[in-house]
Amino acid sequence: MKLLRLVAALGLSLGMAAGALAQQYPTKPITMIVPFAAGGPTDTVARSLGQAMSKSLGQSIVVENVGGAGGTVGAARARNAQADGYTIFLHHIGMSTAPTLYRKLSFNPQTDFEYVGLVVDVPMTLIARSDFPANNFAEFLKFARDNKAKMNLANAGIGSASHLCGLLFMSSIETDFTTVPFSGTAPAMNALLGKQVDFMCDQTTNTTGQIAANSVKAFGVTSRSRVATLPNLPTLQEQGLKGFEVGVWHGLYAPKNTPRPVIERLTAALQAGAKDPEFTKRMADLGATVYPAAQMTPAALQSHLKAEIERWAPIIKRAGAYAD
C-alpha cells in the first residue's frame, strides 16, 4: 500500500509540475531553426509564422538559419537541441524525402522529433528564362523534348523543393535533362534571371513577384487548382500533365522529449497564429495555403509525414537521385 501511495503521489506531483510548466512557458525568446538560407521561401514562411505565434506566446521567436545538405544540417541541429521548448524547427517536404535521398542520415524524421502541426502548403511554378522560345506549356514541352540534350534544369540543391519538383517533372514527361544544382534558391533564381540556365521549378513564395514583373516566363502551376495570386496561370494538370501535383508542405517540430504540455502550448500558438490577419494575408499574397486548425496538430503532421515518405521513396529510387 505504501508503494502504491508513493507511486500515486509521484504521479500527482509530476502532473502538477507539468501543469505549472505549461502555465509558465515560455519565459524567454524561442529559437526557430530553419534549415535553409535567409531570404528563401521557407525562411519567408518562418519569419511570418514566428511573428504571428509570438503574439500568443508573449515571447519573440528568433529565426536561426542553418543551411546545408538539403536541410539535413539544420535538422540535425534541431534534433540535438535541448528539449525544453525553446528550440523549434520548421521544415518543408524535405523531411519526407531525406530518408530516401541520403544514404547516411544522422536523424530519423519519424522518431527523432516531436510533432507540433502542419503549417502551410505552397504550390510551385514551372518557369523559364525570359527569352525562352515558347509561349505556352505545349510549346515548352515540344521544345524541351526536341532539345533535351541542350536543356539545363536548375535547382536549389539536392533535397530542395525545386530538386524534387524537377525529378517528378522529368519522370512525368519521361525525359531527362541536365540538372544544375545551386547552393540555394537565390543563386538558382539569379542564374535563371541571368539566362545562364533554361528553366526550373520553384515555390510561389519565390516566383510570384518575378512572374508579375515578367522577369521570367511561367508555364504552369503545380497545384490542383489555380493560385489566386496568379489567376491567369493554368495548372500543369489542366494543360495535359495528368496527376502532376506538388505542394511544398511545411511542418513545425520540436526536439524529441520536449514536454507534452509545451508541445500543446506550441500547437495552440500555431493555431492562433494561423488566424492572425497579417500572417494569412502574407501567405495569400505569396500563393500559400494555410492548413485548417484540424491539421495543425501533432497527429495530423505525423500521419502526413509518413504518407509523404511512402509517396516519394519510389520516385527518388526510380530517378537514382541519391546523396552521400
Side-chain angles (χ1 to χ4, degrees):
M1 282 299 287
K2 288 183 178 180
L3 179 59
L4 289 175
R5 284 198 296 269
L6 179 61
V7 170
L10 179 60
L12 179 60
S13 177
L14 290 174
M16 291 175 64
L21 176 64
Q23 290 177 357
Q24 295 172 4
Y25 172 84
T27 59
K28 61 182 181 180
I30 298 167
T31 296
M32 180 188 291
I33 292 177
V34 174
F36 302 103
T42 301
D43 179 70
T44 298
V45 172
R47 293 181 187 277
S48 295
L49 178 65
Q51 291 177 359
M53 288 180 63
S54 66
K55 296 177 183 179
S56 171
L57 292 168
Q59 291 286 344
S60 61
I61 294 179
V62 180
V63 172
E64 179 184 359
N65 298 96
V66 185
T72 60
V73 175
R77 169 79 70 86
R79 175 191 181 275
N80 295 327
Q82 190 170 346
D84 58 3
Y86 291 99
T87 299
I88 55 179
F89 176 52
L90 183 77
H91 200 354
H92 63 31
I93 190 174
M95 277 289 269
S96 62
T97 58
T100 309
L101 274 171
Y102 294 90
R103 293 186 177 93
K104 298 178 181 178
L105 198 61
S106 62
F107 62 93
N108 186 320
Q110 292 184 278
T111 60
D112 287 348
F113 298 90
E114 300 293 343
Y115 303 93
V116 178
L118 286 162
V119 184
V120 297
D121 186 82
V122 184
M124 303 194 78
T125 50
L126 180 67
I127 57 175
R129 51 186 167 83
S130 59
D131 62 346
F132 195 88
N135 295 308
N136 56 53
F137 180 65
E139 291 179 4
F140 171 86
L141 202 55
K142 184 179 186 308
F143 183 90
R145 282 172 165 160
D146 290 345
N147 297 274
K148 62 182 181 180
K150 303 176 183 178
M151 292 280 287
N152 291 320
L153 169 60
N155 65 56
I158 292 177
S160 66
S162 55
H163 174 227
L164 301 172
C165 182
L167 287 180
L168 186 60
F169 181 70
M170 289 189 289
S171 176
S172 298
I173 67 172
E174 299 180 340
T175 305
D176 291 328
F177 304 104
T178 298
T179 58
V180 184
F182 289 85
S183 60
T185 299
M189 178 61 77
N190 287 337
L192 188 68
L193 294 174
K195 302 172 186 176
Q196 299 164 358
V197 292
D198 296 305
F199 74 111
M200 67 183 292
C201 287
D202 202 2
Q203 300 175 59
T204 55
T205 44
N206 198 46
T207 63
T208 299
Q210 302 291 357
I211 293 170
N214 294 316
S215 301
V216 297
K217 278 190 176 181
F219 294 105
V221 64
T222 66
S223 51
R224 187 173 301 176
S225 56
R226 296 194 185 195
V227 177
T229 51
L230 300 167
N232 297 320
L233 184 61
T235 69
L236 292 178
Q237 288 200 58
E238 68 182 277
Q239 296 183 92
L241 206 58
K242 301 300 182 184
F244 191 91
E245 184 178 351
V246 182
V248 185
W249 57 272
H250 294 68
L252 190 63
Y253 308 81
K256 189 68 175 178
N257 297 322
T258 298
R260 180 52 46 188
V262 171
I263 296 297
E264 291 172 354
R265 181 80 175 89
L266 288 168
T267 296
L270 171 62
Q271 294 173 345
K275 298 176 182 178
D276 181 76
E278 292 181 17
F279 178 72
T280 55
K281 183 179 186 305
R282 177 64 172 151
M283 293 301 101
D285 289 345
L286 295 172
T289 300
V290 180
Y291 279 100
Q295 289 181 279
M296 289 185 167
T297 66
L301 176 54
Q302 182 178 23
S303 176
H304 190 73
L305 176 62
K306 181 178 183 295
E308 284 286 279
I309 289 174
E310 294 171 353
R311 176 197 180 198
W312 282 100
I315 295 172
I316 294 168
K317 289 176 180 177
R318 187 163 56 245
Y322 300 105
D324 293 328

